Amino acid sequence: MLPPVLLASTSPYRAERLASLNVPFEQAKPDMDETPLPGESPFDLALRLARGKARSLVDTHPGYLIIGSDQTAADDRGTLLGKPGNLARAVDQLRRCSGTSLTFYSGVALAGHSDDAWVVTTDVVFRDLTRAEIDRYLDRERPFDCAGSFKVEALGITLFQSVRSDDPNALIGLPLISLAAKLREAGFALP
């Protein structure tokens, strides 16, 4: 018998990605401090947060296969970029990203029936953006809850020169190719 699946996230983006696999799941909010540790790399932070989110729900959801995920983004100097939260910070973020590259680290972890964790990287190259383009984009999409201040699955794609990844879903927040492989190993028929 297959274990019930729990997504340790309240993110509508991750829920939408997981729902596309047609695997029934529940969602719960993980309880964990997401503050980066001193000297922690963006890769290590994404991995630690994904593991922590999944493990934080093991005691309250026994018998579940719990999926934790988190994403970090860093510029070419290794500086972390978070969710802007408001218009002014989003403008600043996109102005700094214009003409540069970012690396996104999408961490995924399983807890409960299995214990595994990994990170999928995505390299994004922004084209040179004018202030008018930034303003139009932010006015239309308002991506204030997205790391990097864009939604690649919508108009955000117009901001880029290129995107490189082993999984196009990783940039949206949940790498489905590797997750589907792990779910198949757990006995789920996909497809």
Side-chain angles (χ1 to χ4, degrees):
M1 181 169 185
L2 294 174
V5 175
L6 180 70
L7 179 61
S9 173
T10 57
S11 165
Y13 309 111
R14 288 191 183 101
E16 182 180 359
R17 293 291 81 220
L18 184 56
S20 72
L21 295 180
N22 290 322
V23 172
F25 68 95
E26 299 171 37
Q27 279 183 270
K29 182 177 178 157
D31 181 25
M32 101 168 271
D33 179 3
E34 297 187 33
T35 305
L37 301 174
E40 188 172 36
S41 73
F43 179 99
D44 290 339
L45 175 61
L47 190 60
R48 179 178 62 82
L49 293 178
R51 280 185 174 134
K53 288 178 177 184
R55 291 176 181 164
S56 75
L57 296 170
V58 168
D59 291 341
T60 57
H61 293 81
Y64 279 73
L65 175 63
I66 303 171
I67 302 167
S69 184
D70 206 290
Q71 185 178 70
T72 61
D75 63 19
D76 51 8
R77 295 174 305 281
T79 304
L80 278 172
L81 279 78
K83 298 174 184 176
N86 64 45
L87 177 61
R89 285 198 287 266
V91 167
D92 180 60
Q93 227 175 44
L94 288 178
R95 287 179 81 178
R96 286 187 290 127
C97 291
S98 176
T100 68
S101 61
L102 296 181
T103 300
F104 285 79
Y105 303 90
S106 301
V108 183
L110 301 178
H113 280 262
S114 73
D115 190 23
D116 201 357
W118 63 97
V119 173
V120 175
T121 60
T122 303
D123 295 314
V124 173
V125 179
F126 281 82
R127 62 185 182 79
D128 289 324
L129 303 171
T130 66
R131 177 61 194 257
E133 289 172 322
I134 291 170
D135 290 343
R136 276 195 310 271
Y137 171 69
L138 293 174
D139 182 57
R140 292 177 185 163
E141 197 128 87
R142 308 191 64 76
F144 308 137
D145 63 342
C146 300
S149 301
F150 66 84
K151 294 179 184 179
V152 70
E153 67 275 23
L155 283 175
I157 198 71
T158 66
L159 306 176
F160 307 134
Q161 182 176 314
S162 67
V163 176
R164 292 183 191 93
S165 181
D166 289 337
D167 188 333
N169 296 286
L171 196 51
I172 303 171
L174 190 62
L176 292 184
I177 293 173
S178 54
L179 179 58
K182 297 295 182 182
L183 290 172
R184 282 192 300 275
E185 288 174 15
F188 291 86
L190 297 174

